[in-house]
Amino acid sequence: MIKKLILFLALFPFVLTAQDATTATDTIVKNDFSASKYHFKLKQVIIPSTLIAYGVIGLNNDDIKRLNADVRDEVLRNEHKERTIDDVTRFVPMLSVYALNLVGVEGEHNFKDRTIILTTSLLITFTTVRSLKAMTDVQRPDITAYNSFPSGHTATAFAGAEFLLQEYKDKSIWYGISGYVVATGTGLMRIYNNRHWLTDVAAGAGIGILSTKIAYWVYPFLKNRIFKDKKGEKQITAMVMPFYNGEQFGGGMVVRF
């Protein structure tokens, strides 16, 4: 059972990115909000909703709790050192969007617009994760705290992975797949480090993906009503990007003149 689960997790990025493969050839015209990514479609929420539902059901389901324990026991069966790479990898997918633009590989949106989308996604992710941690009060597998559900690291990583996918899937679907590989690895490392249960990671992944999808859905409203450019005026872009790692929260500011 555990080996099958590990195999599924290894293929997880390909399953997730496949849902957007059919629209990979769509082209986006600047300020044209007719593309599918800006409109709610039921099929877009099936996978993230399923992941969130699995995590929530697992809070009170004995069978899923036993699976959580089995996965934890399998991981801890052999001695291993805790790795902190997941503290870094959770940010890799989202930062890759900016890095690719810096080296000349342009995504779907300019600096200002993609930062609006990312900030919206992170705000939704942070608020959701923070609220659920306070409401559920689940003890971590390493018994250090009662804020295990859901995984903040995983939510941040998958929010970034979906962001990378949406910005670059028209260039190549492999950008999105690579982001999801990193995000999946981040979730697995949270389990490996005995910081989260499987259900925490599953719910975190769903929250991150759904948060970014919501950010794209509300982007046309934000663009037209709140961040609308005024012709003839020089624009100064300043965006605050919050983060939450499951224990601390903070933020960073980017200013572009």
Side-chain angles (χ1 to χ4, degrees), residues 12 15-16 19 43-52 206 209:
F12 192 47
V15 175
L16 285 167
Q19 66 179 323
K43 68 177 183 179
Q44 294 177 324
V45 303
I46 292 175
I47 291 178
S49 297
T50 300
L51 291 169
I52 296 170
I209 297 168

Side-chain angles (χ1 to χ4, degrees), residues 153-191:
H153 279 66
T154 308
T156 301
F158 275 90
E162 181 64 19
F163 178 55
L164 178 60
L165 172 65
Q166 294 299 332
E167 288 298 303
Y168 282 98
K169 67 180 181 180
D170 292 339
K171 296 286 186 181
S172 173
I173 197 67
W174 289 102
Y175 287 117
I177 290 175
S178 64
Y180 270 104
V181 167
V182 174
T184 301
T186 300
L188 291 174
M189 286 303 300
R190 300 307 286 165
I191 298 174

